[in-house]
C-alpha cells in the first residue's frame, strides 16, 4: 500500500469533503481517504497495482477541484 498527500484547491466545506472522499473511495484500490480542509490537502492510502495517482487526481478534478 502507498500513501500520498495531494494538494487540492477549492475545498471549503463539509460538502466538499464528502464529494472528494466519496469520489476517491469509489475507486478500486483506495483503502483510506482523509481530507484536511484547513490545509487544502487529501491523504490517500491506495494499492498502486490497482489505481494510479493520475486516476486519483482525475476523480478529484471530476468533482470540480484543482489538484496540484
Amino acid at each position: 500500500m502507498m500513501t500520498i498527500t495531494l494538494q487540492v484547491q477549492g475545498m471549503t466545506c463539509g460538502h466538499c469533503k464528502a464529494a472528494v472522499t466519496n469520489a476517491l473511495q469509489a475507486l478500486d484500490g483506495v483503502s483510506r481517504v482523509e481530507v484536511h480542509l484547513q490545509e487544502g490537502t487529501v491523504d490517500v492510502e491506495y494499492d498502486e497495482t490497482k489505481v494510479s495517482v493520475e486516476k486519483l487526481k482525475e476523480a478529484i478534478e471530476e468533482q470540480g477541484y484543482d489538484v496540484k
Side-chain angles (χ1 to χ4, degrees):
M1 293 300 254
M2 300 285 291
T3 303
I4 188 170
T5 300
L6 300 170
Q7 295 286 109
V8 181
Q9 293 182 326
M11 299 185 304
T12 58
C13 64
H15 176 269
C16 300
K17 182 175 181 175
V20 170
T21 300
N22 292 337
L24 290 170
Q25 287 179 337
L27 296 173
D28 184 36
V30 173
S31 60
R32 185 181 63 84
V33 176
E34 193 169 340
V35 176
H36 306 279
L37 291 177
Q38 297 281 354
E39 295 83 10
T41 61
V42 180
D43 297 332
V44 186
E45 186 175 304
Y46 65 101
D47 183 340
E48 70 276 15
T49 65
K50 293 184 178 179
V51 66
S52 66
V53 172
E54 195 56 42
K55 287 286 183 195
L56 300 175
K57 291 180 179 181
E58 284 176 14
I60 296 170
E61 288 170 350
E62 285 173 3
Q63 298 303 309
Y65 305 101
D66 291 323
V67 182
K68 296 293 175 195

